[in-house]
Amino acid sequence: MASDKLAALALLVALLGCVACTCQASYGYPYPSSVPAKSTPPAAPALSYAYYYKTCKGAEKIVRDVVQAEIKRNRGIGAGLIRLFFHDCFVQGCDASVLLDKTQANEQTEKFGLPNIGSLRGFEVIDKIKTKLEAKCKGVVSCADIVAYAGRDATYFLSNKKVYFEMPAGRYDGRISSANETLFNLPPPFADVTLLEAMFAAKGLNLDEMVTLSGAHTVGISHCSSFGDRLPRNASDPKAMNSRYAKSVTRKCKSGSSTVDQDIYTPNTLDNRYYKNVLNHEVLFTSDAALESSKTKYLVKQNLKPYLWEAKFKQAMRKMGGIGVKTSANGEIRKNCRLIN
């Protein structure tokens, strides 16, 4: 397993050849190759299920109702909320540090670091939820828990209510957010399997969880610049896009559109179609195509079974939600999700 230092070095070297890469797709990522147990697993330390039952009863329903309404208006916002959850947890842990705006004291928060700047979506949805929760129970529900709940609920509605799971809560909001930390913690779209494995392992997620979470690339959009290294098609590359798909994507990018759907078949539905796309060479990123490598191809094939991928995705999202959780000792419950108290 590569060390964190090697992973960071590999990422830096790759960036020197792809400084224009910015990703507006997302997210991805989690569980062992065997079918996960049907029972709800224990929550991460400091987290528990039905956390707000006594202190803010109905909090999860408030989150779910807002997310449902927003997705009805624009299903793309659901993909943005899942990605927001991922990008929050991978930098400083699941502590809502990704939500912080710049201030005089900190002019470069995570929101303004690559690849987040200009590509993350869903901040206004989180604000709307926070306002409703503050009106019901002031100073109780953390922004970090709102991000986690919103990611869970977006998964539920984008999957047409097929993928639902309980999300433990009790996260406190972090006080630290730096644009300098995003690039070395968020997997780039041009990563190979070795780098992907190392970066997920650094967060406590294994190879199977990495492949499983990558399935979230079945929803959302991507900037054409994020896969510029894949076009024009290199016919000698065994992982290149198939010719028909390459022509279609090239035509779309040259037509004046700066973005394309991650999945051309079910772009607005969270399902396991992504894995068929990987095998058919109909994925955008180098990091997606890399999953056809001998080290991960068997996991891609396993996830062709909808019930298996859905079960593993639930477990992975829940596990990801336990990364770097803050407590009252090193966190707070923000009054405004965009500012520390």
Side-chain angles (χ1 to χ4, degrees):
M1 186 74 67
S3 67
D4 293 351
K5 186 177 291 186
L6 286 175
L9 179 61
L11 176 55
L12 180 60
V13 170
L15 280 169
L16 293 177
C18 189
V19 294
C21 288
T22 57
C23 170
Q24 186 173 342
S26 156
Y27 14 92
Y29 338 79
Y31 237 65
S33 55
S34 58
V35 179
K38 291 184 179 180
S39 59
T40 300
L47 301 182
S48 60
Y49 295 101
Y51 182 80
Y52 294 107
Y53 182 75
K54 292 182 179 179
T55 57
C56 190
K57 191 173 182 179
E60 290 189 56
K61 185 179 186 304
I62 289 174
V63 177
R64 187 174 300 118
D65 287 348
V66 173
V67 171
Q68 182 178 26
E70 293 297 324
I71 289 178
K72 279 185 177 179
R73 277 193 282 271
N74 176 11
R75 288 183 73 85
I77 201 65
L81 289 170
I82 297 173
R83 184 174 184 240
L84 193 64
F85 180 41
F86 171 60
H87 281 229
D88 182 39
C89 292
F90 262 57
V91 185
Q92 283 287 331
C94 306
D95 65 350
S97 53
V98 73
L99 304 180
L100 291 173
D101 282 339
K102 56 185 176 181
T103 62
Q104 287 186 338
N106 183 3
E107 295 186 352
Q108 290 298 317
T109 59
E110 290 172 31
K111 191 182 291 186
F112 300 95
L114 290 174
N116 292 344
I117 185 168
S119 72
L120 288 180
R121 295 183 289 172
F123 297 111
E124 293 78 10
V125 179
I126 302 300
D127 290 339
K128 186 177 293 187
I129 295 169
K130 179 65 170 175
T131 298
K132 288 180 177 291
L133 288 171
E134 285 294 295
K136 178 178 175 61
C137 24
K138 191 175 182 65
V140 175
V141 183
S142 71
C143 300
D145 281 340
I146 292 173
V147 172
Y149 284 148
R152 182 269 309 272
D153 294 335
T155 298
Y156 176 63
F157 291 116
L158 288 182
S159 68
N160 296 322
K161 302 183 179 181
K162 290 182 179 179
V163 184
Y164 177 78
F165 53 96
E166 295 296 329
M167 176 65 77
R171 303 167 187 81
Y172 277 69
D173 301 321
R175 301 187 181 95
I176 299 172
S177 182
S178 172
N180 294 329
E181 296 186 11
T182 57
L183 205 56
F184 296 98
N185 283 285
L186 295 168
F190 46 87
D192 61 16
V193 166
T194 299
L195 180 55
L196 288 171
E197 183 178 18
M199 297 188 80
F200 275 77
K203 308 303 175 185
L205 298 168
N206 63 34
L207 186 68
D208 189 22
E209 291 167 336
M210 180 272 286
V211 174
T212 299
L213 283 172
S214 295
H217 281 176
T218 189
V219 290
I221 57 178
S222 172
H223 281 295
C224 293
S225 60
S226 295
F227 50 89
D229 59 324
R230 302 257 287 156
L231 295 173
R233 176 177 178 269
N234 180 2
S236 64
D237 181 359
K239 295 186 181 68
M241 298 179 188
N242 68 48
S243 58
R244 182 182 63 83
Y245 183 64
K247 288 177 182 177
S248 173
V249 171
T250 300
R251 191 183 311 114
K252 183 72 179 292
C253 289
K254 287 185 175 180
S255 69
S257 174
S258 62
T259 62
V260 297
D261 289 327
Q262 284 278 82
D263 180 353
I264 61 174
Y265 297 102
T266 57
N268 294 314
T269 302
L270 186 74
D271 55 22
N272 69 328
R273 173 74 205 202
Y274 168 81
Y275 300 100
K276 188 172 183 179
N277 294 345
V278 170
L279 297 175
N280 289 342
H281 295 204
E282 295 178 320
V283 287
L284 296 174
F285 302 149
T286 296
S287 57
D288 293 324
L291 299 188
E292 203 182 6
S293 301
S294 59
K295 194 171 188 178
T296 50
K297 190 171 185 177
Y298 78 99
L299 295 170
V300 171
K301 290 183 175 180
Q302 282 182 4
N303 287 336
L304 292 173
K305 300 174 182 178
Y307 72 90
L308 179 58
W309 174 75
E310 289 167 6
K312 291 199 295 180
F313 192 77
K314 296 175 188 179
Q315 297 279 30
M317 286 284 281
R318 193 158 30 210
K319 184 176 177 181
M320 185 174 72
I323 297 174
V325 170
K326 304 296 188 296
T327 65
S328 58
N330 59 351
E332 63 184 15
I333 305 297
R334 285 184 214 144
K335 299 173 184 177
N336 180 337
C337 288
R338 293 174 181 260
L339 301 167
I340 61 175
N341 294 341

